Amino acid sequence: EAQRARVAEVEAEAARVREEARAELHAVALREAGEAAAARAAAEEAAAAAEAAKERGDSAETARLEKEAELARAIAGKEQAEAEAAAEMVDLKSRLAANLALLSEAVDRTAAAEAEAAAAKE
């Protein structure tokens, strides 16, 4: 009985830790998605500024802004990849938590069956 209480205690702590990790990963995924959106907006803004400079006939400013837009697009791509990786990590962590819960249930059933078998022998 004491062992079952300890197992329940450990399982409750594991569930709490899993939930904290899931919440933290979810926050990271949201932050990464926000950074990716901001980087895309910066790239669009730089491209629009380059187009405006081109229309004014300012070739030096156009070249500078086109490079800036190119860099911003590269950053946006990196941020998007990080956002996708963070989202995948949340998904993997969630599936791992579900599998651990299934394993825990199986261990509990096995322990109960072993206890019943031991009681039946006595």
Side-chain angles (χ1 to χ4, degrees):
E1 196 61 38
Q3 185 178 5
R4 284 186 185 184
R6 179 65 185 136
V7 167
E9 226 177 85
V10 169
E11 287 176 351
E13 177 65 11
R16 185 189 66 75
V17 168
R18 283 191 306 268
E19 180 55 29
E20 283 178 5
R22 189 206 60 76
E24 185 177 326
L25 281 172
H26 186 69
V28 168
L30 288 175
R31 186 181 71 238
E32 292 293 344
E35 289 174 1
R40 282 191 305 274
E44 290 171 11
E45 187 178 306
E51 186 61 32
K54 185 177 183 180
E55 289 174 5
R56 289 192 312 270
D58 188 342
S59 59
E61 183 69 359
T62 299
R64 185 187 72 74
L65 289 169
E66 284 175 348
K67 285 183 189 262
E68 185 177 314
E70 184 180 333
L71 177 60
R73 281 190 292 276
I75 291 169
K78 175 187 110 16
E79 294 294 346
Q80 183 63 38
E82 288 177 356
E84 289 170 5
E88 185 176 344
M89 186 66 88
V90 169
D91 180 55
L92 291 172
K93 192 76 163 184
S94 180
R95 283 193 264 159
L96 176 61
N99 287 338
L100 288 173
L102 290 173
L103 179 60
S104 177
E105 289 174 25
V107 167
D108 287 349
R109 285 192 304 272
T110 301
E114 288 174 352
E116 285 179 24
K121 281 184 179 179
E122 295 175 2

